[in-house]
Amino acid sequence: MTTTAATTATGTVTGLPLFVLGRDADPHSERGVDCPGELPPASDPGLVARARAARERLGDRLFVLGHHYQRDEVIQFADVTGDSFKLARDAAARPEAEYIVFCGVHFMAESADILTGDAQKVVLPDLAAGCSMADMATFAQVEDCWDALEDAGLADRVVPITYMNSSADIKAFCGRHGGAVCTSSNARRALEWAFEQGEKVLFLPDQHLGRNTAVLELGLSLDDCVVYNPHRPNGGLTAEQLANAKMILWKGHCSVHGRFTAECVDDVRARIPGVNVLVHPECRHEVVTKADYIGSTEYIIRMLEAAPAGSAWAVGTELNLVKRLANRFPDKTITFLDRTVCYCSTMNRIDLPHLVWALESLAAGEVVNQITVDPDTTHWARVALDRMLALPQ
């Protein structure tokens, strides 16, 4: 478990858990955390008034971005909501805003810093709000993978594509090596472009999005895909496996979407006759093949907006969003695909106390938790992002 140091009254430094997911655990999987479904209210009821007051003092100098997976107590203060790339572009479209407060996770704030002007400051209210998927592909690991591809004589035939949910240095790596970034909405177009540039794709860092897109949308087979494990020599793959593969998938996954199983789909169909199963493409292949509809977060929202009254939906994505959509559309039955999976723990690091602290600090003239990306990384990451933006819509 991730820990942080805390000093006691006697001066002793102890390691304390940053976030406790639940009381119970299934020893055979990550599923089974105890989650009653409601986050506790803010400990200080005056925090809402304080946030409003700080926002008013900052005026147009402040622009607050809220990712769809944020908790309601935070999302109420967002000027715009959306997925990570939409929010980064929204920030870039507001050059008059001196401060961009990103209620999301670290890689999202990095993308906002890459796309915004030099005079703008991007703030992440809690620096512990990372992304487990993005953390599964480090720059050193990806360089080792590329070295293995070079040793196998394959690198010049491989185009790296990284999911938006990756660190700035991984985006920059793809920019330097002729690759691009993709989102869950345009992954198919990105892969089609990549196969026009080369024979193989190295897909980072989410194996499930890469596999689902390649097999279900491009018509490749599961045998065309191999998984590179950065914790094993040469990724755990032989030179022959690398040579025969068309998709080299990084061994990474989303800790929320990766928890859904085929049994979850079977269970909800048994419980709710006629239910429509709607899942994110970050889910496992066996889950998406059992689902009725597959799409990005924005796609999920649009589907539920357009769904007829009285219809029933089981949604395989983050719980904060599912609950918000269920409250927004009371004329439809909208339920979480799995009864036991909790919220995204790192997204939920951004809570009202952290947001108030960040806003009040900015109002007092102190910039806290600023996220900055160095110029060289910014340049090459922007190259990869621009290649994505140039893809046909």
Side-chain angles (χ1 to χ4, degrees):
M1 178 178 292
T2 304
T3 60
T4 185
T7 304
T8 67
T10 61
T12 303
V13 177
T14 61
L16 296 177
L18 284 174
F19 197 92
V20 179
L21 287 177
R23 295 190 297 273
D24 303 320
D26 179 348
H28 302 295
S29 74
E30 293 182 345
R31 297 177 57 225
V33 292
D34 182 1
C35 182
E38 295 293 340
L39 289 171
S43 57
D44 180 355
L47 288 174
V48 171
R50 289 171 60 183
R52 288 175 179 160
R55 280 209 54 143
E56 187 174 346
R57 290 199 300 274
L58 289 163
D60 292 339
R61 298 168 63 204
L62 173 71
F63 193 51
V64 180
L65 307 172
H67 191 272
H68 286 307
Y69 297 168
Q70 289 291 296
R71 55 175 87 197
D72 286 343
E73 69 179 50
V74 170
I75 212 78
Q76 65 179 313
F77 293 104
D79 292 300
V80 293
T81 60
D83 61 18
S84 59
F85 186 59
K86 175 184 180 296
L87 293 176
R89 294 187 74 180
D90 286 341
R94 292 291 295 265
E96 72 279 7
E98 182 179 353
Y99 304 120
I100 306 295
V101 174
F102 208 127
C103 297
V105 294
H106 196 272
F107 78 81
M108 300 178 187
E110 283 185 332
S111 297
D113 186 59
I114 290 167
L115 292 173
T116 52
D118 293 339
Q120 294 178 286
K121 298 175 176 62
V122 178
V123 169
L124 184 67
D126 186 348
L127 293 180
C131 171
S132 59
M133 180 201 296
D135 291 344
M136 290 176 191
T138 69
F139 182 72
Q141 289 172 337
V142 175
E143 281 204 316
D144 287 343
C145 174
W146 199 256
D147 289 343
L149 292 171
E150 288 182 331
D151 291 343
L154 299 171
D156 60 346
R157 296 152 57 190
V158 177
V159 177
I161 298 290
T162 188
Y163 189 22
M164 190 73 187
N165 299 25
S166 57
S167 63
D169 53 6
I170 300 303
K171 293 182 177 73
F173 175 92
C174 290
R176 290 189 192 95
H177 292 278
V181 179
C182 77
T183 69
S184 53
S185 298
N186 66 15
R188 175 178 181 168
R189 292 191 293 277
L191 287 183
E192 289 173 339
W193 172 85
F195 281 117
E196 292 170 358
Q197 316 305 311
E199 299 175 17
K200 304 171 184 293
V201 170
L202 170 63
F203 194 89
L204 305 154
D206 181 21
Q207 62 170 306
H208 300 307
L209 176 63
R211 180 182 295 106
N212 291 331
T213 305
V215 174
L216 300 180
E217 298 195 50
L218 268 62
L220 300 183
S221 73
L222 290 174
D223 291 337
D224 291 322
C225 306
V226 295
V227 177
Y228 181 95
N229 184 344
H231 301 291
R232 299 182 63 184
N234 294 318
L237 299 170
T238 65
E240 183 180 9
Q241 286 175 309
L242 287 172
N244 292 335
K246 293 184 179 178
M247 289 288 294
I248 303 167
L249 305 169
W250 194 262
K251 189 175 175 59
H253 66 277
C254 170
S255 59
V256 171
H257 294 106
R259 293 174 185 249
F260 297 114
T261 64
E263 290 74 21
C264 294
V265 180
D266 295 337
D267 176 68
V268 79
R269 291 198 192 281
R271 288 188 286 115
I272 308 175
V275 69
N276 297 281
V277 178
L278 173 61
V279 302
H280 196 282
E282 290 175 21
C283 293
R284 304 180 194 190
H285 188 67
E286 59 267 28
V287 173
V288 300
T289 53
K290 278 180 169 279
D292 300 300
Y293 304 96
I294 310 152
S296 66
T297 302
E298 298 290 346
Y299 173 88
I300 289 171
I301 294 170
R302 291 195 303 271
M303 286 292 293
L304 294 177
E305 287 174 338
S311 57
W313 297 82
V315 185
T317 193
E318 207 274 340
L319 184 53
N320 271 312
L321 176 61
V322 178
K323 288 169 62 64
R324 190 173 299 125
L325 291 168
N327 292 333
R328 180 180 168 191
F329 302 114
D331 60 333
K332 306 162 192 177
T333 300
I334 298 174
T335 187
F336 195 53
L337 180 56
D338 189 352
R339 299 194 227 194
T340 58
V341 177
C342 237
Y343 305 88
C344 174
S345 60
T346 49
M347 278 283 186
N348 275 282
R349 299 276 332 169
I350 309 296
D351 56 11
L352 199 50
H354 282 94
L355 179 60
V356 168
W357 169 73
L359 295 182
E360 289 184 339
S361 297
L362 292 174
E366 180 185 2
V367 179
V368 295
N369 289 5
Q370 183 178 354
I371 303 300
T372 58
V373 180
D374 68 86
D376 184 65
T377 301
T378 292
H379 169 75
W380 287 109
R382 187 64 186 259
V383 167
L385 286 164
D386 286 343
R387 287 183 184 134
M388 178 184 75
L389 293 172
L391 295 173
Q393 298 301 309

